[in-house]
Amino acid sequence: LPCPASSSIARPSPQAVARTVSYASTMSKAAFAGLKAVQEIRFHLCQTSKGSEGVRNFLLKSYKNMKAASPATPILIREASGVEGGLVARYDFGLEKKSSLEGLDEKAVEKAVAAALSGA
């Protein structure tokens, strides 16, 4: 017998599901192809500050694709209260490049990450 409660569950429309899927996968795995040349990538951010909001949103939407592009590359997320948003990419021979992500929106963070992955 069907459960009466199951018939009252609202199901999302196919259009709503398609919008959610396209919104969640902003950067594809191909966009992170340069990740294999990086030994480690670290994101520094504050959990609550407005300045780190773009970094938080980028990580929420793109972490899965970054990890899928290069599962062996460590992607570290360092959260601390009052810390400015930033990115540190470590290359061969211990070379590190730092970028400030403070106050950037999600698209600008995406560009900064792409620049770091290309070694620029």
Side-chain angles (χ1 to χ4, degrees), residues 56-75:
R56 287 192 306 269
N57 291 338
F58 172 78
L59 288 171
L60 285 171
K61 294 175 184 156
S62 299
Y63 177 83
K64 186 176 179 180
N65 288 336
M66 282 195 319
K67 202 57 181 171
S70 181
T73 304
I75 300 172

Side-chain angles (χ1 to χ4, degrees), residues 34-106:
L35 192 58
K36 293 179 181 175
V38 176
Q39 297 296 316
E40 175 185 278
I41 188 161
R42 289 189 307 265
F43 292 93
H44 297 267
L45 62 131
C46 177
Q47 304 98 320
T48 57
S49 75
K50 186 75 172 162
S52 291
E53 185 175 12
V55 181
R56 287 192 306 269
N57 291 338
F58 172 78
L59 288 171
L60 285 171
K61 294 175 184 156
S62 299
Y63 177 83
K64 186 176 179 180
N65 288 336
M66 282 195 319
K67 202 57 181 171
S70 181
T73 304
I75 300 172
L76 308 173
I77 301 170
R78 302 292 187 225
E79 296 177 318
S81 181
V83 172
E84 289 187 9
L87 168 74
V88 179
R90 185 169 54 86
Y91 303 92
D92 289 333
F93 307 110
L95 175 67
E96 289 189 351
K97 292 186 181 178
K98 299 177 183 180
S99 303
S100 176
L101 303 177
E102 184 68 15
L104 299 180
D105 65 348
E106 185 181 336

